[in-house]
Amino acid sequence: STVWFENIDIDGLKLKNEALSVVNNDNTRILWNGPKNWFLTSTKKDLLKDIEKIFNENNFAVTNLSHSRAIIEIEGQDVKEVLKKGCPFNFDSLKKDNSINSIYNGISFTADLLNDNPAKVRLFTLRSFGESLYHSVTDASCSGNNDGAVDLNVTGGTQPYNYAWSSPSFPWFSDTTEDINNIFPGLY
């Protein structure tokens, strides 16, 4: 390719070809995903159209992954400790606006550190592994405690969305909100 990626502007951001790096603004985050390879997330719905105009198919490959990924956000003082229990990466070295690709209990994922006080991490995995990854990282702290949570991010489809939570572990449980909190360990 004769195109220099350093000159490309996406939503006011420049691509950075540096391990762990994330460049971002209020709407868009561009995560380094490997040499000359990036993972972009944005709240701007028309950004994909802009990207398709910027990137010539003879020089770049752009793949829309928006319908194939599950996104889980976890936040709190013990986030890095939770992630360490199932991942070989040393999360102590991860700083705000860093990202990594790794595995968690055998599940491939990307972690994006959004904040470090308190720690807030957004995890991306294939949609088919989303539930397994969720159960691996967000179980309540101890058996019998109801401090588990689900933070759901729905994309695609037609809004408004309807939610219907139930639990085979707790037949009495039901909820119709997007996110559920103060839940016991179990299936939902």
Side-chain angles (χ1 to χ4, degrees), residues 131 134-135 150 163-178 180 183-184 186-188:
E131 184 175 357
Y134 163 75
H135 286 295
V150 177
Y163 305 93
W165 290 97
S166 63
S167 172
S169 303
F170 307 100
W172 47 265
F173 178 85
S174 69
D175 201 313
T176 57
T177 61
E178 178 178 356
I180 54 177
I183 57 176
F184 292 96
L187 298 175
Y188 291 87

Side-chain angles (χ1 to χ4, degrees), residues 30-44:
I30 303 174
L31 290 64
W32 181 85
N33 214 32
K36 297 183 181 177
N37 188 325
W38 297 270
F39 184 86
L40 183 143
T41 65
S42 183
T43 57
K44 294 179 85 173

Side-chain angles (χ1 to χ4, degrees), residues 59-144:
N59 294 305
F60 298 96
V62 176
T63 305
N64 181 354
L65 301 174
S66 60
H67 297 292
S68 67
R69 293 287 185 255
I71 304 167
I72 299 169
E73 279 188 15
I74 56 176
E75 181 176 4
Q77 64 185 16
D78 295 326
V79 165
K80 290 183 179 181
E81 294 305 313
V82 169
L83 293 174
K84 285 181 197 178
K85 75 178 181 179
C87 180
F89 182 77
N90 177 8
F91 279 91
D92 291 331
S93 66
L94 199 65
K95 306 294 180 216
K96 181 180 177 184
D97 295 330
N98 281 174
S99 70
I100 59 134
N101 295 313
S102 192
I103 57 169
Y104 190 92
N105 292 339
I107 301 169
S108 297
F109 77 105
T110 298
D112 178 14
L113 186 60
L114 304 170
N115 200 353
D116 48 9
N117 192 17
K120 183 175 184 179
V121 176
R122 188 175 291 154
L123 306 174
F124 301 89
T125 191
L126 290 173
R127 186 176 296 243
S128 58
F129 297 132
E131 184 175 357
S132 296
L133 181 61
Y134 163 75
H135 286 295
S136 292
V137 298
T138 59
D139 281 342
S141 59
C142 295
S143 179

Side-chain angles (χ1 to χ4, degrees), residues 7-25:
N7 298 328
I8 295 172
D9 182 294
I10 300 171
D11 195 24
L13 301 169
K14 300 287 186 190
L15 299 175
K16 191 172 182 181
N17 197 30
E18 181 181 311
L20 305 178
S21 68
V22 176
V23 292
N24 64 86
N25 59 31

Side-chain angles (χ1 to χ4, degrees), residues 152-172:
L152 189 64
N153 292 307
V154 179
T155 60
T158 305
Q159 294 184 14
Y161 301 116
N162 294 313
Y163 305 93
W165 290 97
S166 63
S167 172
S169 303
F170 307 100
W172 47 265

